[in-house]
Amino acid sequence: MAVSLVILAAGQGSRMLSDLPKVLHPIGATPLVVHAMRAGRALDPERVVVVVGHGGAAVARSVAEEDPEALVVTQEVQLGTANAVAQARGALAGVDGDVIVLYGDTPFIQPDTLVQMQLARAAHDVVVLGFEAVDPGRYGRLVVQDEKLERIVEFKDASEDERAITLCNSGVLCADSALLFDLISEVGNANSSGEYYLTDIVALARGRGLSAGVVSCDEAETLGINTRAELVRAEAAFQKRMRAEALEAGVALLAPETVHFAQDTVIGRDAVVEQFVVFGPGVTVETGAQIRAFSHIEGAHISRGAVVGPYARLRPGAELAEDVRVGNFVEIKNAALGEGAKVNHLSYVGDASVGARANLGAGTVTCNYDGVSKHHTEIGEDAFIGSSTMLVAPVRIGRAALTGSGSVITSDVPDDALALGRSRQETKAGLGKRLMDRLRAVKAAQKKG
Ligand code: UD1
Ligand code: MG
């Protein structure tokens, strides 16, 4: 059955004490709201609607970056979760099937849990995701009788007996779209918060003789973020899970606790990741590649047999073919390095393509920026770039061409040519010693005087 997502992300998150809207705070280098979107993607949703409010424009930008087809609707005043979902009504007009409601500040819901919820819809009109809470605190409580969900009661409105219930509401729920909006239109705000509670739709459905059921998940999945301390704890939990998953997938992490992953990091079996490596968003490391210690990598694709680092920085658009070498203190940005190419020391390669087996000597720099625009450098296969060559882009170095060390290359170099762009060396016999002798004599005279 078709399913659409409504992701609630209008709250301010005042307890974060931040100008950044809460749902844009990152875990695994990825905004919280994007975690929710990615969890829902497993269902191949018909439509994705994100309800924004505080910091709406910024949230909308992140949403669009992740999924240009997602719709963003604004909840002007935060009148409660039912009112928030109601804002999505227009955006879902004409779409049949189920709706799953997710929270933008609850990043760990597993895709499989959402699949279970959708399956449970075969037996129930409304399906709620619940969990057994170690400390139920202020969560809404699920009132279950004879294995049927009767209603959800918010902590503030609950009796002593109800507060003793440990089965809690995660906030995630699933129902047929038309039914959901119909039930929501009946929700009132006569409760201790004066808010329109989405949770009230369960009792409303039961009142109509419809059925409601609970799918349970691990409490860790429903973890919500409200404070910076919770964000840090959630990040730690996320990293722990990513490390465990990498090890399970056959990645050789030499010191797992020092490696930091992004939400979408993909690393192949038998890849080696040494100590203190940080992965930003958008990285794929293929089988058998090696990431050496203290490297920082984002937006990069590293092929089989490539070796990166120690102390390397790969920035977005770094594309390393098989057996490439990128050594210490080398930065690569928006550049494709062909099979077996080497950039081993102290170099900057940006906005460039480097042919197979080319060797870039220590200190090679692609001067890609003229202060206004970026320009491209092309280096042919088997080229040899002498140490400390400045390649002033746009420029092309031909296949198997050479540049002399210390050259400033401002015009194209044909295939097989040698280019020298530096002043000719002059050597004056004996002058070195005469110069030093004179300087020492001057200093000695000064000391005496
Ligand atoms: C809600 C549930 C509670 C559940 C808990 C789980 C209701 C009434 N209560 O309570 O049963 O145990 O989540 O964490 O649903 N939001 C909006 N607009 C609003 C209000 C909220 O977009 O007008 C968004 C918030 O940004 C947040 C989410 O909805 O992402 C939940 O809102 P929040 O105020 O945290 O609800 P709780 O009181 O925690
Ligand atoms: Mg909350």
Side-chain angles (χ1 to χ4, degrees):
M1 189 192 305
V3 63
S4 295
L5 304 178
V6 173
I7 301 176
L8 305 188
Q12 182 174 16
S14 52
R15 284 190 284 155
M16 294 297 283
L17 301 178
S18 173
D19 292 337
L20 192 66
K22 176 164 79 173
V23 295
L24 293 187
H25 283 265
I27 286 182
T30 307
L32 295 176
V33 68
V34 173
H35 281 264
M37 292 172 75
R38 288 185 186 167
R41 191 187 285 163
L43 301 172
D44 192 17
E46 192 79 13
R47 207 164 276 186
V48 177
V49 184
V50 183
V51 182
V52 305
H54 287 278
V59 177
R61 272 196 298 279
S62 279
V63 167
E65 206 175 295
E66 172 65 13
D67 177 1
E69 286 174 14
L71 300 174
V72 172
V73 298
T74 302
Q75 183 192 28
E76 299 292 348
V77 191
Q78 277 69 63
L79 297 176
T81 45
N83 178 260
V85 175
Q87 308 309 310
R89 184 176 210 144
L92 288 174
V95 182
D96 291 334
D98 283 356
V99 167
I100 287 193
V101 178
L102 296 171
Y103 289 174
D105 65 351
T106 308
F108 294 148
I109 302 285
Q110 293 300 297
D112 186 54
T113 300
L114 300 180
V115 172
Q116 294 308 320
M117 290 187 68
Q118 217 199 349
L119 293 175
R121 272 275 295 112
H124 299 287
D125 296 296
V126 177
V127 175
V128 171
L129 182 64
F131 62 101
E132 279 295 336
V134 174
D135 171 14
R138 305 186 64 77
Y139 285 116
R141 305 298 206 267
L142 302 186
V143 181
V144 178
Q145 250 163 27
D146 304 330
E147 307 206 340
K148 286 180 186 152
L149 180 61
E150 294 290 328
R151 60 201 158 85
I152 305 177
V153 56
E154 289 305 297
F155 174 80
K156 278 189 185 172
D157 305 293
S159 66
E160 276 307 309
D161 282 354
E162 288 166 338
R163 286 182 181 185
I165 297 172
T166 52
L167 183 62
C168 292
N169 176 29
S170 70
V172 181
L173 61 77
C174 180
D176 169 75
S177 172
L179 175 67
L180 177 69
F181 289 112
D182 195 36
L183 292 169
I184 282 176
S185 66
E186 286 180 23
V187 171
N189 67 348
N191 52 54
S192 56
S193 306
E195 281 187 15
Y196 296 87
Y197 291 158
L198 180 61
T199 45
D200 283 356
I201 69 164
V202 171
L204 288 168
R206 295 307 310 272
R208 293 185 186 188
L210 301 172
S211 79
V214 181
V215 165
S216 291
C217 71
D218 200 78
E219 185 170 5
E221 277 188 48
T222 68
L223 184 79
I225 313 293
N226 295 296
T227 64
R228 288 186 187 264
E230 284 171 5
L231 184 71
V232 169
R233 278 200 293 275
E235 176 77 42
F238 169 82
Q239 293 299 340
K240 202 172 157 194
R241 193 181 83 219
M242 291 295 282
R243 290 164 189 150
E245 284 177 9
L247 291 169
E248 274 164 32
V251 178
L253 298 181
L254 301 195
E257 65 286 0
T258 66
V259 176
H260 291 256
F261 294 93
Q263 195 273 342
D264 60 354
T265 307
V266 177
I267 306 185
R269 177 189 161 130
D270 280 327
V272 178
V273 181
E274 293 187 357
Q275 297 84 350
F276 296 98
V277 171
V278 176
F279 293 102
V283 175
T284 302
V285 180
E286 286 186 15
T287 298
Q290 189 178 356
I291 313 298
R292 305 209 51 205
F294 299 102
S295 293
H296 190 283
I297 298 173
E298 57 187 319
H301 175 227
I302 300 165
S303 302
R304 228 171 246 267
V307 181
V308 173
Y311 297 100
R313 179 166 187 213
L314 302 187
R315 292 172 52 203
E319 172 69 44
L320 277 50
E322 294 189 8
D323 302 321
V324 160
R325 296 282 180 276
V326 171
N328 37 254
F329 307 107
V330 171
E331 175 179 344
I332 310 278
K333 184 216 76 169
N334 187 31
L337 276 60
E339 203 174 318
K342 290 187 183 137
V343 193
N344 273 331
H345 333 267
L346 298 164
S347 290
Y348 172 66
V349 179
D351 302 310
S353 54
V354 176
R357 298 170 305 280
N359 188 325
L360 279 55
T364 297
V365 172
T366 55
C367 309
N368 59 332
Y369 186 47
D370 59 16
V372 178
S373 307
K374 300 281 170 63
H375 302 283
H376 189 80
T377 300
E378 187 185 332
I379 298 173
E381 290 179 3
D382 298 302
F384 184 93
I385 307 300
S387 293
S388 211
T389 295
M390 299 293 124
L391 298 161
V392 182
V395 71
R396 178 182 177 279
I397 310 297
R399 162 197 279 260
L402 271 68
T403 70
S405 298
S407 289
V408 178
I409 302 295
T410 54
S411 55
D412 290 356
V413 180
D415 293 354
D416 303 320
L418 165 65
L420 294 168
R422 63 190 191 203
S423 50
R424 185 172 288 276
Q425 178 174 331
E426 277 184 57
T427 306
K428 312 219 185 236
L431 185 58
K433 182 167 186 311
R434 289 211 301 282
L435 189 63
M436 293 309 283
D437 287 348
R438 197 167 77 221
L439 293 174
R440 287 192 187 105
V442 169
K443 191 162 186 180
Q446 282 170 344
K447 264 194 187 159
K448 265 190 201 158

